[in-house]
């Protein structure tokens, strides 16, 4: 259960806000209660069958490792930027660009690449045991990656680091792509989390006289992020030039928060250092404060 005392001084200090402040606090408490129920239920997921792309070979202290780079249209694509823009983003902030991908479970395979060509019926002693992983990205992005050595290198690097983080591996950064072999073993179905964008709830009455700008370059808003409880993360985003929730866009990934405002007033693309429960996240816009509050339950590690 989240402790609301951290927010009490701020919510009760402005008495002129009246019912809006009370409603704002109720929203956060409701999110905390729903989190308790959500922890006992399995998150909604979609089963996909990744299509083969290409296979790379590397190794770890345990032996040879193969990574099947696959693709599926069900996986969301990354932000559409040019390679020059991407290079600039990576130079300025390594965590500013993310490629959504699904990391499959390890499966044991038999690598016969070093066996004589005349050997047809391989026994376990004749082949070499190895481990294979299936990593899937968006199909359209995969087609784009086919024509770019830079994107291919980037995807392999992110996939390797993702597997290391998820399974506690230490993979050799050196790798080579197999020729005429798009995958090793068999590519299994994977379950991916269903993407749901939280609805932004209105608190109060929009100000019809609020000034709206027409600047071409959006401003990065001031924002705060804190851990309200061990399993609940809160974000508070100041949007002083926005009059209401209409036109605001909010995207939440497992470790990413993206907020956009109408007429390109604001844009925030932030990396979150914790895994977010997307389906149970909630958001509310406070008119008097001109603030967007996002409540993000956390997934267990």
């Amino acid at each position: 259960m989240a402790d609301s005392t951290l927010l009490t001084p701020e919510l009760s200090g402005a008495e002129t806000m009246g019912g809006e402040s009370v409603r704002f606090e109720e929203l956060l408490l409701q999110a905390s209660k729903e989190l308790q129920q959500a922890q006992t239920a399995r998150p909604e997921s979609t089963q996909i069958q990744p299509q083969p792309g290409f296979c790379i070979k590397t190794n770890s202290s345990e032996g040879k490792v193969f990574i099947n780079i696959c693709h599926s249209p069900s996986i969301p694509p990354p932000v559409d930027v040019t390679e020059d823009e991407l290079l600039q983003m990576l130079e300025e902030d390594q965590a500013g660009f993310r490629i959504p991908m699904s990391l499959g479970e390890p499966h044991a395979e038999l690598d016969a690449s070093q066996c004589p060509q005349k050997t047809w019926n391989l026994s376990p002693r004749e082949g070499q045991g190895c481990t294979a992983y299936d990593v899937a990205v968006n199909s359209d992005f995969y087609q784009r990656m086919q024509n770019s050595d830079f994107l291919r290198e980037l995807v392999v690097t992110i996939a390797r680091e993702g597997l290391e983080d998820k399974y506690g591996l230490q993979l050799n950064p050196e790798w080579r792509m197999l020729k005429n072999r798009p995958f090793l073993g068999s590519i299994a179905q994977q379950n991916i989390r269903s993407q749901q964008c939280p609805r932004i709830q209105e608190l109060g009455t929009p100000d019809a006289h609020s000034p709206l700008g027409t600047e071409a370059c959006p401003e990065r808003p001031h924002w705060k992020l804190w851990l309200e409880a061990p399993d609940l993360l809160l974000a508070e985003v100041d949007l002083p030039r926005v009059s209401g929730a209409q036109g605001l866009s909010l995207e939440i990934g497992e470790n990413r928060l993206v907020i956009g405002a109408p007429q390109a007033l604001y844009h925030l693309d932030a990396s979150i250092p914790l895994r977010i429960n997307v389906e149970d996240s909630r958001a509310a816009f406070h008119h008097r404060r001109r603030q967007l509050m996002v409540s993000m339950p956390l997934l267990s590690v």
Side-chain angles (χ1 to χ4, degrees), residues 56-291:
I56 68 164
K57 178 180 179 180
T58 183
N59 61 76
S60 69
S61 59
E62 303 297 325
K64 290 186 291 185
V65 174
F66 293 83
I67 303 177
N68 297 319
I69 303 296
C70 315
H71 59 92
S72 169
S74 300
I75 296 176
V79 177
D80 188 14
V81 296
T82 66
E83 289 193 17
D84 290 339
E85 292 172 334
L86 177 55
L87 281 170
Q88 183 177 357
M89 292 173 63
L90 294 176
E91 290 174 358
E92 295 176 353
D93 182 6
Q94 290 288 340
F97 180 80
R98 293 187 176 275
I99 301 176
M101 57 179 59
S102 176
L103 308 177
E105 298 289 332
H107 48 100
E109 300 293 345
L110 197 63
D111 175 34
S113 60
Q114 297 183 356
C115 295
Q117 293 293 327
K118 63 181 180 181
T119 303
W120 293 94
N121 298 316
L122 295 175
S123 67
R125 294 183 179 179
E126 292 175 314
Q128 291 188 354
C130 62
T131 304
Y133 297 86
D134 305 329
V135 176
V137 298
N138 174 264
S139 293
D140 291 337
F141 179 73
Y142 176 82
Q143 296 302 324
R144 179 184 171 190
M145 181 179 62
Q146 288 291 84
N147 301 318
S148 171
D149 292 337
F150 168 68
L151 290 179
R152 187 183 300 111
E153 291 268 357
L154 181 62
V155 166
V156 171
T157 299
I158 295 176
R160 176 176 56 81
E161 293 176 350
L163 292 172
E164 288 180 334
D165 291 341
K166 184 174 183 178
Y167 296 111
L169 305 173
Q170 187 64 45
L171 298 176
N172 189 338
E174 299 293 329
W175 55 272
R176 69 177 181 88
M177 187 166 63
L178 303 186
K179 295 182 178 180
N180 302 320
R181 194 170 188 178
F183 64 95
L184 181 73
S186 58
I187 300 176
Q189 292 183 333
Q190 296 184 17
N191 289 322
I192 62 173
R193 295 176 61 82
S194 301
Q195 298 295 319
Q196 294 183 3
C197 295
R199 181 177 61 87
I200 301 176
Q201 187 170 356
E202 296 268 7
L203 297 179
T205 305
D207 183 1
H209 302 288
S210 174
L212 292 177
T214 57
E215 300 178 12
C217 183
E219 175 186 344
R220 180 181 172 89
H222 177 267
W223 70 300
K224 294 183 294 184
L225 184 71
W226 72 93
L227 201 61
E228 173 74 356
D231 49 13
L232 181 62
L233 191 67
L234 298 181
E236 190 177 78
V237 186
D238 295 332
L239 303 170
R241 293 188 291 163
V242 173
S243 62
Q246 185 175 5
L248 285 179
S249 63
L250 174 62
E251 296 180 25
I252 300 178
E254 282 196 6
N255 51 11
R256 187 180 180 191
L257 177 66
V258 181
I259 297 172
Q263 302 186 29
L265 288 174
Y266 299 101
H267 181 75
L268 175 67
D269 190 341
S271 175
I272 306 297
L274 299 168
R275 297 181 63 218
I276 301 170
N277 185 334
V278 179
E279 283 78 7
D280 295 314
S281 294
R282 299 170 65 88
F285 184 82
H286 200 295
H287 287 285
R288 290 180 182 254
R289 296 181 183 177
R290 303 290 177 87
Q291 282 182 342

